[in-house]
Amino acid sequence: MLTIRNLNKSYAGVRHRAVLCDIHLDLARGEYIAIMGESGIGKSTLLNLIAGLDSPDSGSIKLDGTEFTAMDDDARTLLRRERMGFVFQAFHLLPHLTVEQNAALPLVLGGGAPAQCSQRTHELLGAVGIAALAASYPRELSGGEMQRVAIARALVHRPQLVLADEPTGNLDPDSARQVLQVMREQIKSNAGAGILVTHSPTAASTTDRIYVLTAEGLLPQ
Ligand SMILES: Nc1ncnc2c1ncn2[C@@H]1O[C@H](COP(=O)(O)OP(=O)(O)OP(=O)(O)O)[C@@H](O)[C@H]1O
Ligand SMILES: [Mg+2]
């Protein structure tokens, strides 16, 4: 469902350097992979490109045959909202919305019926262990709790492609295990695909295949 060919990205500026060089990846429906690699190598940059939040210098990213890089911003935003779920490394929760409203956002923006949105949102908040915080605001939460809201939000609309950037970095081992299990179950039950970026070998081992991003490209481990 996701095909990446010859993807290149560099950042202009004082530290001008190539970040991603000639990246190739094939991800089939139902497949869940991990991407590891040293800090600063370009993992978040790659996820941002796949999500269409940033543009590559050259190369191709196709989602079900549609060239993502050629779409205009509106079309890309719609596609991202409907078909992708993204857990950002820095959460990006909306401060004026409660936990429940944050987690429900993709469903509400997608025009879901309120009762169904609410039921599905509670199901996921429960699954990641923060049902009791539904009425709280992000400023009242710990880092690990915010992280779990972000994960619920990324899964709530049953996206075809889940992109998770270090989603368990702030969690204790038991919560991490619980959240990783929920991610895997949701991805598999929606017959979607998922990419987990992580520094944790334990987290990576919950996926089907592990890749390592290096200066030479994205290599199967
Ligand atoms: N907007 C930007 N402008 C300039 N350089 C950037 C920008 N964003 C990232 N970089 C640089 O690109 C490189 C890759 O960054 P990226 O965030 O993708 O790394 P990462 O593999 O996700 O690292 P980490 O494991 O620490 O999260 C880094 O050297 C970073 O400094
Ligand atoms: Mg990163």
Side-chain angles (χ1 to χ4, degrees):
M1 69 174 303
L2 178 72
T3 311
I4 300 180
R5 291 284 176 271
N6 306 100
L7 195 69
N8 292 288
K9 174 74 179 173
S10 56
Y11 287 111
V14 270
R15 294 193 305 141
H16 183 93
R17 69 176 190 92
V19 175
L20 298 174
C21 283
D22 212 26
I23 301 297
H24 294 261
L25 177 66
D26 286 291
L27 192 61
R29 198 167 293 284
E31 212 174 4
Y32 182 29
I33 65 163
I35 297 180
M36 303 186 74
E38 65 186 50
S39 185
I41 197 75
K43 304 179 298 298
S44 297
T45 302
L46 178 59
L47 282 197
N48 285 339
L49 293 178
I50 296 172
L53 296 166
D54 198 0
S55 304
D57 300 338
S58 61
S60 158
I61 302 175
K62 282 187 183 162
L63 197 62
D64 286 332
T66 305
E67 181 57 60
F68 207 50
T69 51
M71 297 171 93
D72 67 29
D73 277 354
D74 288 350
R76 238 185 346 228
T77 301
L78 195 66
L79 186 145
R80 183 187 321 122
R81 202 170 77 192
E82 288 180 347
R83 295 174 54 187
M84 293 189 190
F86 201 118
V87 184
F88 293 93
Q89 206 166 4
F91 318 139
H92 293 303
L93 300 180
L94 299 178
H96 303 297
L97 299 184
T98 65
V99 163
E100 180 176 353
Q101 289 165 335
N102 265 286
L105 205 56
L107 284 178
V108 173
L109 290 174
Q116 278 168 356
C117 292
S118 172
Q119 191 188 357
R120 169 73 179 157
T121 304
H122 277 275
E123 182 191 328
L124 271 171
L125 291 178
V128 299
I130 50 168
L133 298 173
S136 300
Y137 286 88
R139 63 173 178 278
E140 301 168 324
L141 306 182
S142 72
E145 289 164 348
M146 283 192 251
Q147 192 150 42
R148 282 179 280 174
V149 180
I151 291 162
R153 180 181 59 185
L155 298 171
V156 76
H157 53 315
R158 298 187 169 86
Q160 287 168 3
L161 180 60
V162 176
L163 304 169
D165 201 348
E166 197 67 66
T168 54
N170 294 278
L171 299 180
D172 63 84
D174 281 346
S175 303
R177 207 171 303 119
Q178 180 188 7
V179 157
L180 289 166
Q181 192 185 339
V182 172
M183 280 194 39
R184 186 177 172 89
E185 276 169 14
Q186 290 290 325
I187 289 167
K188 294 290 177 180
S189 71
N190 298 338
I195 301 179
L196 171 71
V197 165
T198 183
H199 289 294
S200 158
T202 312
S205 72
T206 67
T207 68
D208 305 330
R209 281 190 292 151
I210 302 176
Y211 288 87
V212 182
L213 185 57
T214 71
E216 279 70 51
L218 191 56
L219 311 174
Q221 197 186 51

